[in-house]
Structure formats: structure tokens, C-alpha cells
Amino acid sequence: MNRVLIIDDEKRMLDLLALYLRPHDYTCKKAQGANEALLFLEEEDFDIVLLDIMMPEMDGWELCQEIRSISDVPIIMVTARDQKEDIVKGLKLGADDYIAKPIDENELLARMEALLRRRTPATRIETNGLLWDEERYELSYKNQPIKVTPKEFAMVGHLLKKPNQVFSREQLIDLIWGFDTNTEGRTVDSHVRNMREKIRQAGFPVDDHFKTVWGVGYKWIN
């Protein structure tokens, strides 16, 4: 599931875009203005950003430059001003694409999917014989498949992609279950226990790599 940050100063537009996207395998986080958006970007990872241009205090062009200084996340500029000079300015400042209001839902989805296809090739991560294969959707150890649930597979993937980074239970819930879920921390702990046992039974020394950071969350050490 792809994570999208929607940035607009109008709550109505934030809600409308989230309503468009949620049925299409996106988890949406809404930032009402530039300051909130930058705070979210510093704390979390997103797969794509929808950025309104006409905002008070800091407009979308300036915010686009700020985002580019900290992240290469794909950015689609969203504006009511469908003028060629605006498009060129946004692209020169680091935006990847541009769509004008009123937004056509199918066009928006197509543009987002095109950017995500270019950005996210299938991933294979191997560590000491343990292989996480995103294309085959398979976790294995020394070529022997390990049967894990989709959420367990996603959790292992997030940890392997960012070794040594501590993920809190709340971060894992947002990443795997989505922002709007009622899932609690003990559900994460239950998945962790099950996943560790499955990997351990396969013969991989999981306890040397998959660490609990007491009072905080979990991390993977290579």
C-alpha cells in the first residue's frame, strides 16, 4: 500500500483528495499547510506527495524547494491555475508532474501510478541467506520458503530496507495497517512474535538481527 502526503490549506480539498485515493490502495496523510507538511516529512516516509501551489505563508513552489532539500519523494503539483509558465516553474523547482483543478480522478490516479512505477522497482534484499523478494512476494532462508502473512511480510520488508533504524509500534501500524486503523500496539507485538518464531524454525538466527528496543519498538541489525 502506497503512502501519500496531501498538502493543501483547504480542509475540503484535503478531504476530497483522500476520498478519491483511499479506495485505490493508498493510505493518506493530510497536511493543512507547509509547516505541518514539513513536520510530517521529517518524521515519516512517503511514496508520493500531492502539493497545492496557492497556499498562504509558504506557497507550493517554495515548499517544493524545501522538500527537495530533504527528500527525493515524487511530487505532483496541484493548482487551479492551468498556465504554462506555472507548469514550467514547478518542474524546474523539482516537481515531477502537474495536474490542474478541477481534478479528474482517473487522470490523477494514472499520473500517480506512472510516477510510482518509475520510482519503485521490485526489491530483493538478502542477509546471511535470508531473502526478502518483493517481486515474488516471498520470504525464504537458503532457498526454503518461510510462510508468513502479508502483514508479516510487509513488516520484515520495512525493517530490512532500513537496517539499524528503530521503528516504533505506532510507525509500524501506520506503515502496515494505515493511518485510519484501530489497530493497537499489542497487535504489532503479536505479529512480531509469530514472525520471529517462523523465521527461527526455518533455521535463521533471527534473534541476532531482529531486536526489540524496550519501550520504543523494533529494529533490524545486519
Side-chain angles (χ1 to χ4, degrees), residues 130-170:
L130 184 73
L131 175 64
W132 185 85
D133 191 328
E134 189 171 29
E135 183 175 7
R136 295 187 177 185
Y137 211 80
E138 182 177 274
L139 182 69
S140 61
Y141 178 56
K142 294 183 177 179
N143 298 319
Q144 297 300 313
I146 302 171
K147 293 183 179 180
V148 292
T149 68
K151 286 183 169 53
E152 291 166 355
F153 181 82
M155 189 181 298
V156 172
H158 285 299
L159 292 165
L160 288 173
K161 287 176 182 178
K162 295 191 175 181
N164 301 315
Q165 176 176 326
V166 179
F167 288 84
S168 70
R169 291 168 178 82
E170 291 75 17

Side-chain angles (χ1 to χ4, degrees), residues 33-183:
N35 292 333
E36 191 171 39
L38 289 171
L39 179 64
F40 290 156
L41 285 160
E42 288 174 358
E43 294 179 343
E44 304 173 37
D45 291 325
F46 297 93
D47 297 297
I48 196 163
V49 169
L50 300 182
L51 172 58
D52 185 56
I53 288 181
M54 303 308 295
M55 296 188 297
E57 297 180 1
M58 183 187 296
D59 63 32
W61 289 307
E62 186 178 353
L63 180 55
C64 182
Q65 289 181 293
E66 291 288 332
I67 293 172
R68 277 290 164 263
S69 71
I70 60 173
S71 174
D72 64 352
V73 63
I75 299 172
I76 297 179
M77 305 290 279
V78 180
T79 182
R81 296 170 57 184
D82 189 12
Q83 297 179 3
K84 184 175 180 179
E85 57 267 29
D86 289 351
I87 298 172
V88 172
K89 181 175 180 179
L91 295 174
K92 283 185 175 180
L93 291 174
D96 298 275
D97 205 349
Y98 189 102
I99 191 166
K101 301 174 186 176
I103 292 171
D104 179 275
E105 179 182 352
N106 292 328
E107 180 185 0
L108 175 62
L109 289 168
R111 290 178 179 274
M112 292 175 69
E113 288 165 7
L115 283 175
L116 289 167
R117 280 197 302 271
R118 294 202 297 267
R119 177 178 171 82
T120 55
T123 302
R124 285 166 53 92
I125 302 173
E126 184 172 4
T127 176
N128 296 335
L130 184 73
L131 175 64
W132 185 85
D133 191 328
E134 189 171 29
E135 183 175 7
R136 295 187 177 185
Y137 211 80
E138 182 177 274
L139 182 69
S140 61
Y141 178 56
K142 294 183 177 179
N143 298 319
Q144 297 300 313
I146 302 171
K147 293 183 179 180
V148 292
T149 68
K151 286 183 169 53
E152 291 166 355
F153 181 82
M155 189 181 298
V156 172
H158 285 299
L159 292 165
L160 288 173
K161 287 176 182 178
K162 295 191 175 181
N164 301 315
Q165 176 176 326
V166 179
F167 288 84
S168 70
R169 291 168 178 82
E170 291 75 17
Q171 285 176 308
L172 290 170
I173 288 170
D174 285 349
L175 285 166
I176 298 165
W177 282 268
F179 294 112
D180 297 329
T181 184
N182 292 320
T183 301

Side-chain angles (χ1 to χ4, degrees), residues 203-220:
F204 181 80
V206 66
D207 298 317
D208 293 339
H209 299 275
F210 195 171
K211 300 291 187 179
T212 299
V213 182
W214 296 108
V216 183
Y218 300 98
K219 67 177 178 179
W220 187 276

Side-chain angles (χ1 to χ4, degrees), residues 5-20:
L5 177 62
I6 309 170
I7 309 169
D8 200 301
D9 62 308
E10 296 184 15
K11 184 179 184 299
R12 181 187 63 82
M13 183 55 66
L14 290 171
D15 293 341
L16 180 62
L17 287 170
L19 185 66
Y20 280 168

